[in-house]
Amino acid sequence: MAFDKMELKDIEVWDGNFAAAQALRQCQIDVVAAYPITPSTPIVEGYAKFLADNYVEGEFVMVESEHAAMSGCIGAAAAGGRVATATSSQGFALMVETLYQASGMRLPIVLNVVNRALAAPLNVNGDHSDMYLGRDSGWIQFDAYCPQNAYDLNFIAFRVSEDHGIRLPAMVHQDGFMTSHTAQGVHTISDDDAYNFVGDFKPMNDMLDFEHPVTHGVQTEEDWHFEHKARQHNDLMTKVFPKIEEVFTDFEKLTGRKYNIVEKYDTEDADVAVVCMGTSVETAREVATEMRAKGIKAGVVGIRVIRPFPFMQIAEALKDIKAIATLDRSAPGGTVGMLFNEMAGCMFNLEKRPMLCGKIYGLGGRDLTKAHLVELFTELQANVDAGKITTPLQQFIGVRGPKLSYL
Amino acid sequence: MIKKGWDEFEIGAMLRTFDGSINDIAGTSQDDRSYSENSSYTASVADWRLIKPVFNKDYCIDCQFCWIYCPDVSIISRDKKMIGVDMDHCKGCGICVEVCPTNPKSLLMFPEQAEEEAEIASWPAKDEEK
């Protein structure tokens, strides 16, 4: 071991970016090819500083755009290294072309996406637009609600994506500024424990194996492409969840922190529930607790793994709830929000179909306050009391001017 | 190539050039290499050739010019002796004919359908120096 170890306290005060950077250091990433963009710059900046200070044995590649950053990561991963990078919003949008290559070539890259709104109008604050943009790219997507999650999920993402049966790239999402620049106490894992949890990188079909030459990224026309995509989808649908469950269990043994594919909060006896992602989950939990004191049986479902989408687990968690609201933090662009769509899909065939309405909130970093959520839970309870949906299916929360609602 | 089902090939958009492992590939002649069915050496990539080079060994002086200049490694040469043209990979570009120094040329382009023996039998005579 030619690099230095870092002595961490049990609890360090880190923001989400620095927590992710520390996770990249502890995993001993071989190659980071990155291009800076607000608000994810400190992740790769932090890695570069650890590299310069001899805490990591690796390579930092400075490229001229995010497209080149992901291309560099794909090259490094195909050559047989542990690779990670970070990006946001417009950079993520520029990466999209190569994201599909990474997942199709089955390369285990971990991408830290700090969610930020997509222009125009240009905006550096957080919403989930870029997370939604990457949802069909064939990557595994984890969602962090706080710096602690951002730190932990990086280790989990490496374990899952580098498994030889899976070999699919993974994204770890955190909310721009809300998580990435808000310092909180983070329970740390020691360098040795963290590295042993992730394990040594075991290459597969790597290009630097000169005794078994391979061609990566070959062309297939109509006679093979479908089979490749089918294989990728089959692995996403059948292999990823069992592996994630296994890694979550291992992680709990190591740290005592339990993660679930679907984070349920007070849903066992609830009448009303909201389904949301990102930092809103924590706000919603707090409000749900207050609503219980007022006599409204409120629950919260947070989605930890966005892709592959946990249809069955969500349907199981929500089957007895009477009224549900989905909170989408991305401009719907002429349809219902993604979460509303997915929830409608997974609950359509339930025997007792809950009432479902979709809310659009927090675009461009607009705050979702407790007052909003109190109003929302009250409205859901009114639906339950009336026994039918009394409000439009899609509403905008927190937008100035006259109320916006559709359908 | 055998059509395989979606669960029967290696994951990722990758192909192996050789079956099994290799060593000293540069020192092995092409005939002795364990090319896999996926390698471009095994595949025929000459479907769209319209004119083809025909080799007449009677005039060849084994100068290896065609072997050096062929952009597709389609000239078969063993121990510095010209053997012929690899018709699975030749695209019919005509560069070998262009660089052939003999008089008359030992390689000439003919339509793809031409009969090789007939063309060799009616090979053009030596060009007189003007």
Side-chain angles (χ1 to χ4, degrees), chain A residues 241-242 245 261-262 264 301 309-318:
Chain A
F241 281 146
E245 298 271 15
I261 290 170
V262 172
K264 293 179 288 205
V301 169
F309 196 79
F311 282 105
M312 292 303 148
Q313 291 93 325
I314 288 186
E316 180 62 30
L318 297 175

Side-chain angles (χ1 to χ4, degrees), chain B:
Chain B
M1 197 184 291
I2 312 151
K3 293 277 192 232
K4 293 178 179 163
W6 61 265
D7 54 345
E8 292 171 301
F9 46 74
E10 288 190 81
I11 60 168
M14 47 81 66
L15 293 174
R16 298 196 178 279
T17 317
F18 303 100
D19 289 326
S21 66
I22 54 151
N23 45 32
D24 186 33
I25 203 71
T28 317
S29 86
Q30 281 185 319
D31 308 334
D32 303 334
R33 295 178 193 170
S34 55
Y35 284 110
S36 71
E37 62 162 5
N38 301 322
S39 99
S40 52
Y41 181 81
T42 319
S44 168
V45 286
D47 311 343
W48 43 278
R49 186 176 56 230
L50 296 176
I51 50 173
K52 63 178 180 186
V54 171
F55 171 59
N56 185 340
K57 61 179 184 304
D58 299 347
Y59 301 102
C60 179
I61 56 171
D62 290 329
C63 69
Q64 307 294 308
F65 278 17
C66 54
W67 183 85
I68 289 168
Y69 280 96
C70 176
D72 244 321
V73 207
S74 297
I75 301 290
I76 306 166
S77 170
R78 295 287 177 265
D79 302 325
K80 302 249 170 27
K81 292 272 184 290
M82 168 76 176
I83 291 173
V85 183
D86 172 0
M87 286 298 170
D88 281 339
H89 296 92
C90 169
K91 314 283 189 304
C93 70
I95 288 177
C96 52
V97 175
E98 204 64 40
V99 300
C100 183
T102 61
N103 191 355
K105 288 193 181 287
S106 349
L107 283 153
L108 283 174
M109 302 305 285
F110 292 99
E112 180 67 17
Q113 313 84 338
E115 288 290 335
E116 218 165 299
E117 291 81 6
E119 298 298 352
I120 289 176
S122 59
W123 204 258
K126 184 174 175 180
D127 271 352
E128 290 304 328
E129 294 289 331
K130 293 184 180 68

